Amino acid sequence: VFKKPKSSNFQLKSQKNDSAFWINPSRWGFKKAVSNTEAEYEFQLKGKDLYGMAVTEEIEISLESLVDLALSNAQSAAPDARVTKKEYRNVNGKKVIYMEIQGTIQSIKFTYMGYYYSNASGSTQLITYTATNLVPKYKKEVNDFLNGLIEQ
């Protein structure tokens, strides 16, 4: 069972479905997505090389199809992208899939770590990403960020 950390005390609400995201604003900067047109919000750990995005849609998609779609999208940018970890989790009372994807873009090895969730209001991908060599350094920040996913 995974829960929102107490330090995540600022809530962003999706305008597309009933997902919301609790973040720690002293650690994370955020804005409406600009560079990634599929995302609703973009995030960055302040002054660090850890990034995040919330991809929200009104379409309900089965969890397994949602993670397959995410892998396919990753493979379009990085043909060598592969799933290195996938498991069901209970996050703030909701069943999600946690998935890690590793690949290479422009000779940089990267890792995506994210929660995938869907219900009648739509689907949500809350994702973090960084260079693969930095994953151990940012693991706590990743978990705290992802565990802020809730339903409004």
Side-chain angles (χ1 to χ4, degrees), residues 50-77:
L50 177 62
Y51 306 90
M53 64 181 149
V55 179
T56 54
E57 300 174 287
E58 294 178 291
I59 301 166
E60 182 177 14
I61 304 171
S62 76
L63 285 181
E64 289 297 334
S65 295
L66 187 58
V67 295
D68 289 346
L69 183 62
L71 177 60
S72 177
N73 287 341
Q75 288 171 332
S76 67

Side-chain angles (χ1 to χ4, degrees), residues 30-125:
F30 66 91
K31 62 184 178 184
K32 286 281 194 180
V34 181
S35 60
N36 183 340
T37 57
E38 295 176 7
E40 184 173 5
Y41 293 106
E42 296 174 334
F43 306 89
Q44 182 175 2
L45 186 62
K46 292 180 178 180
K48 305 292 181 181
D49 292 320
L50 177 62
Y51 306 90
M53 64 181 149
V55 179
T56 54
E57 300 174 287
E58 294 178 291
I59 301 166
E60 182 177 14
I61 304 171
S62 76
L63 285 181
E64 289 297 334
S65 295
L66 187 58
V67 295
D68 289 346
L69 183 62
L71 177 60
S72 177
N73 287 341
Q75 288 171 332
S76 67
D80 68 337
R82 69 195 188 292
V83 174
T84 56
K85 184 174 185 176
K86 184 169 94 171
E87 65 188 22
Y88 286 97
R89 291 186 178 178
N90 180 320
V91 178
N92 299 311
K94 301 297 171 201
K95 181 180 177 182
V96 305
I97 289 180
Y98 171 78
M99 184 167 67
E100 294 181 5
I101 298 173
Q102 291 183 352
T104 310
I105 297 177
Q106 297 176 346
S107 76
I108 299 169
K109 293 187 184 306
F110 71 89
T111 301
Y112 284 103
M113 297 152 284
Y115 281 168
Y116 300 84
Y117 175 71
S118 192
N119 65 11
S121 81
S123 59
T124 298
Q125 301 172 56

